[in-house]
Amino acid sequence: SLAELLNLSALAASLAGEAAALRASMEARMWDGNGTGRWCDGACSEVGWRSGVTTSAWMLWLGLLPAASVPAAWSQLAGWGLEGLGDYGAFVFLGALAAFDGDDGSALLRALTKCDAQSWCAMMRDYNATMTREGLYGAGGTSSHPWGTAPLAGVAGGVVGVSQTSPGFATFSVRPRLARLTHATLRVPTLHGFIDVHATPNETRVAPPCGTTATVCVRDGSAPRRLLLDGSPAAAQVADGRHRCAVGVGCGAGGRARRVSLE
């Protein structure tokens, strides 16, 4: 994709061919299509067809699972929880949970707020940390490492559900998963300006930077209701069974927030 953006068509074609060959080799040796419907932890015949939590997390996060296998992999992760993964694995784990709407966001919120020995809560409680460190265990790692940003990704991309859908957030989506939270407020810096979000269980307010386009969603309930954009029926909308979304939402007059709600 980067080669295509740089108009290096020959290089893009070569890399695409290498990627296709690598994937075919991985599928032939590492995909347990007749058993669990998951990727094995290595060549299946060499690892006893074992498929662990870490493997499922990486493959779900990277989008390498077929759609039919995603719910089972997500359930495996949610059932395991943020245990024994460390801060490196936590970044991928939270991203994988956010890749599929397996619940209302409870699994994400549980991982972010739990307070056992393997938690950010314990890091602050036991070591008086004022920022998230590289390691979950207090003394490990450094205080200035990209892996320490895992909680930010879990909140922004998971709980609040802000995700870019084209380079530089020229287009993006907002799919909140608030679980038991009554509201969440977030500001995301992009090359186009700040994306400001305020979400409640029944309404999502987003201020898209001018020049960008957003898909803005609210959690769908069991009873059919009208989707509103700024108080009027949304002209363009989509539904995925868990969210109802207004599409093509641009910046508001004077930079005001756009409001998506169900009536």
Side-chain angles (χ1 to χ4, degrees), residues 98 101 104-105 108-109 112 151-163 172-179 181 183-188 195-200 204-206 215-218 243:
D101 278 336
D104 62 353
L108 277 161
L109 196 59
L112 287 163
L152 294 178
V155 171
V159 176
V160 183
V162 178
S163 177
F172 62 94
S173 62
V174 182
R175 285 182 168 83
R177 308 170 183 89
L178 298 182
L181 297 177
H183 67 276
T185 300
L186 179 74
R187 167 169 275 196
V188 180
I195 299 170
D196 288 309
V197 181
H198 180 76
T200 68
T204 305
R205 293 178 182 247
V206 179
T215 296
V216 182
C217 309
V218 288
H243 286 92

Side-chain angles (χ1 to χ4, degrees), residues 2 8 19 33 43 46 65 67 72 78 108 114 145 156 158 213 219 233 238 242 251 261:
L2 290 175
L8 301 175
E46 297 176 8
L65 284 170
L108 277 161
K114 70 191 185 79
H145 194 286
T213 304
R219 195 76 182 180
V238 295
R242 294 178 175 83
C251 64
S261 58

Side-chain angles (χ1 to χ4, degrees), residues 22 60 67 76 84 87 104 136 140 143 164 175-176 201 205 237 240:
L22 176 60
L60 181 54
Q76 180 191 22
D87 219 359
D104 62 353
L136 274 175
S143 294
Q164 65 175 332
R175 285 182 168 83
R205 293 178 182 247
Q237 55 181 278
D240 60 11

